[in-house]
Amino acid sequence: MQIDILYFAWVRERIGLPRERVETEAATVADLVAELASREERYALAFADLAALRVALDQELSDFAAPLAGVREIAFFPPMTGG
Amino acid sequence: MQIDILYFAWVRERIGLPRERVETEAATVADLVAELASREERYALAFADLAALRVALDQELSDFAAPLAGVREIAFFPPMTGG
Amino acid sequence: MHLLVQEDRFDIGRETEAFIAGLRHAGAVVTFTGLVRDNGGQLAAMEIEHYPGMTERAIGAIMDEAKARWALEDALVIHRYGRLGPQEQIMMVATAAPHRADAFAAAEFLMDYLKSRAPFWKKEIGADGAEWVAAKASDENALTRW
Amino acid sequence: MHLLVQEDRFDIGRETEAFIAGLRHAGAVVTFTGLVRDNGGQLAAMEIEHYPGMTERAIGAIMDEAKARWALEDALVIHRYGRLGPQEQIMMVATAAPHRADAFAAAEFLMDYLKSRAPFWKKEIGADGAEWVAAKASDENALTRW
């Protein structure tokens, strides 16, 4: 399946791009993260500490155990600092 | 001694005047209240329920047991409803 | 610290803007504005009586207390008296602090004390007569949290 | 309910005035304004990144939740993104309710959730480099009270 991946804040800076479209068969968010981390060093660095990251599936906050079936857009970012 | 007495809100309306200067030898606020209440019916009515009244001595909230020595201005009013 | 007790209307937008423009370090500003409720169309006017002199002293003391308790850069209280129409602005409070928790707490504290400790009395003028607003037990109870 | 996510500055005075002018029954209005703190003169600018689309959804959901929990007549959220200078206004929240307790609670609730659940990220640009603002444990903990 094809999925759009978005990166924000220091995750975006570390990976070096704001978004990309990937072809993947990953079943869960964690599977996708493992796949990306094995791809290149910059991904491995960005995903080194999952506790410091948040994930959103189709613009709703989710978690790393969530299944990816039917998801079109996934975003990775640090804890939010709005307000 | 001479003391200025001020009345506010329904206390003022019941007594029928906003302020007056009286000559009194009352030792405490309660003594002054008793003196006023014995004077005329409208005072007796205004002071019928002391729990519904507040008192300020020289513009500081006080209570009915407080001594009047040195006080120049005393005010009686219902609980405040500001804000 | 700014305190105004006045009969005239005030411009909430201009006051808020001026308050914020005067700040140099604050990260958080909270304002509260009290409006005359129309009681479902039953209210013709509200009359606010106050105790000149004591009003300024009482509010000044409440503001000093807020300043002592929280890290405030500035605070403002404006309170009107006299005759007000439905939806008119009765009063406002503004607080500025480095962080939001202090700004919120100080604003709520000022409001709780203004309600029950500043010498104002409200009278509601309706179609069928006038009535003094009774103090609410909940307003007195609100003071116990501070 | 009004929600604006924008790069442009907003006029706090005019927004507050317009918000209040639109009310028909409320007795209490609370506003919160967040300003860029200058960190003792060390801050040159703040950059705010956001997630277009999710931002509006997340704030909309927070506002719906506030509306469901408290007797609000109206609520407003304005949040900026992009590059801001020291003491510039980052965002504002306004709430209107019949009584002050609801207006205060809803405004604090909105702020607590905006801090930790709306997809914004702040970066502080100083004389000696730039740094992403770290989320505070106290902000996450603040959510447990609701």
Side-chain angles (χ1 to χ4, degrees):
Chain A
M1 64 178 177
Q2 279 204 329
I3 194 165
D4 286 317
I5 314 185
L6 282 68
Y7 307 108
F8 292 98
W10 60 254
V11 184
R12 172 180 55 71
E13 291 180 337
R14 221 166 275 188
I15 290 174
L17 76 177
R19 64 186 301 154
E20 60 185 319
R21 179 165 294 178
V22 302
E23 181 69 40
T24 182
E25 296 309 318
T28 67
V29 176
D31 291 345
L32 177 63
V33 166
E35 194 178 304
L36 291 168
S38 70
R39 214 207 257 175
E40 273 183 64
E41 181 68 10
R42 57 195 169 112
Y43 288 95
L45 278 172
F47 290 114
D49 178 14
L50 293 189
L53 290 182
R54 299 290 179 269
V55 59
L57 300 182
D58 290 328
Q59 307 190 350
E60 296 278 355
L61 271 183
S62 186
D63 57 76
F64 289 88
L68 285 184
V71 171
R72 308 177 57 131
E73 182 174 300
I74 181 168
F76 295 102
F77 42 78
M80 298 133 163
T81 53
Chain B
M1 63 179 177
Q2 279 205 326
I3 194 165
D4 287 318
I5 315 185
L6 282 68
Y7 308 107
F8 292 98
W10 59 254
V11 183
R12 172 180 55 70
E13 291 179 337
R14 221 167 272 186
I15 290 173
L17 76 178
R19 64 187 300 153
E20 61 185 318
R21 179 164 294 177
V22 301
E23 182 68 40
T24 181
E25 297 309 320
T28 66
V29 177
D31 291 344
L32 177 64
V33 166
E35 194 176 305
L36 292 168
S38 69
R39 214 206 259 176
E40 273 181 64
E41 183 65 12
R42 57 195 169 110
Y43 288 96
L45 279 171
F47 291 114
D49 177 15
L50 294 189
L53 290 181
R54 300 289 178 269
V55 59
L57 301 182
D58 290 328
Q59 307 190 351
E60 295 279 355
L61 271 183
S62 186
D63 58 77
F64 290 88
L68 285 184
V71 171
R72 308 177 57 130
E73 181 175 300
I74 181 168
F76 295 103
F77 42 78
M80 298 134 164
T81 53
Chain C
M1 304 293 220
H2 317 274
L3 168 58
L4 291 166
V5 180
Q6 63 186 45
E7 190 159 6
D8 293 342
R9 295 180 192 215
F10 60 92
D11 183 323
I12 176 72
R14 202 174 308 166
E15 295 295 344
T16 304
E17 207 160 284
F19 181 76
I20 291 180
L23 300 172
R24 297 189 53 192
H25 307 292
V29 175
V30 170
T31 73
F32 177 91
T33 309
L35 307 173
V36 177
R37 280 182 301 135
D38 70 350
N39 290 348
Q42 296 304 297
L43 190 93
M46 173 172 274
E47 275 177 14
I48 303 179
E49 185 171 334
H50 78 124
Y51 183 171
M54 179 170 170
T55 307
E56 290 78 1
R57 287 169 66 123
I59 300 178
I62 295 164
M63 294 177 83
D64 286 345
E65 174 78 17
K67 205 175 165 183
R69 286 192 185 210
W70 292 281
L72 296 183
E73 181 181 335
D74 203 0
L76 160 77
V77 173
I78 302 177
H79 205 304
R80 295 175 63 194
Y81 57 88
R83 193 176 179 95
L84 284 72
Q87 292 307 117
E88 270 194 50
Q89 292 156 19
I90 301 170
M91 51 83 64
M92 76 171 284
V93 154
T95 56
H99 300 285
R100 75 186 188 287
D102 282 356
F104 271 119
E108 293 196 62
F109 171 86
L110 288 172
M111 283 309 304
D112 283 354
Y113 274 84
L114 282 171
K115 278 271 168 193
S116 306
R117 292 292 181 270
F120 291 99
W121 300 274
K122 291 185 184 131
K123 192 180 200 172
E124 291 178 342
I125 320 290
D128 48 352
E131 199 163 355
W132 290 99
V133 174
K136 282 185 273 182
S138 59
D139 283 333
E140 187 66 31
N141 292 342
L143 300 184
T144 61
R145 61 172 163 158
W146 303 111
Chain D
M1 303 291 222
H2 317 274
L3 168 58
L4 291 166
V5 180
Q6 62 185 45
E7 189 158 6
D8 292 342
R9 294 180 192 215
F10 59 92
D11 182 324
I12 176 72
R14 202 175 308 167
E15 295 295 344
T16 303
E17 207 159 285
F19 181 76
I20 291 179
L23 301 172
R24 299 189 54 192
H25 307 294
V29 175
V30 170
T31 73
F32 177 92
T33 309
L35 308 172
V36 177
R37 279 183 300 135
D38 71 351
N39 290 348
Q42 296 304 298
L43 190 93
M46 171 172 277
E47 275 177 13
I48 303 179
E49 184 170 334
H50 79 124
Y51 183 171
M54 180 172 168
T55 308
E56 290 78 0
R57 288 168 65 122
I59 300 178
I62 295 164
M63 294 176 84
D64 285 345
E65 174 79 16
K67 207 176 164 183
R69 286 194 187 210
W70 291 282
L72 298 183
E73 181 183 336
D74 203 0
L76 161 77
V77 173
I78 302 176
H79 204 303
R80 295 175 64 194
Y81 56 87
R83 193 176 179 97
L84 285 72
Q87 291 308 117
E88 270 192 52
Q89 292 155 20
I90 303 171
M91 51 83 65
M92 77 171 283
V93 154
T95 56
H99 301 286
R100 75 186 188 286
D102 281 357
F104 271 118
E108 293 196 61
F109 171 87
L110 288 172
M111 284 310 305
D112 282 355
Y113 273 84
L114 282 171
K115 278 271 169 194
S116 305
R117 292 292 181 271
F120 291 99
W121 300 273
K122 291 185 184 132
K123 192 180 200 175
E124 292 178 342
I125 321 288
D128 47 354
E131 199 163 355
W132 289 100
V133 174
K136 284 185 271 182
S138 59
D139 283 333
E140 187 65 30
N141 292 343
L143 300 185
T144 61
R145 61 173 164 156
W146 302 110

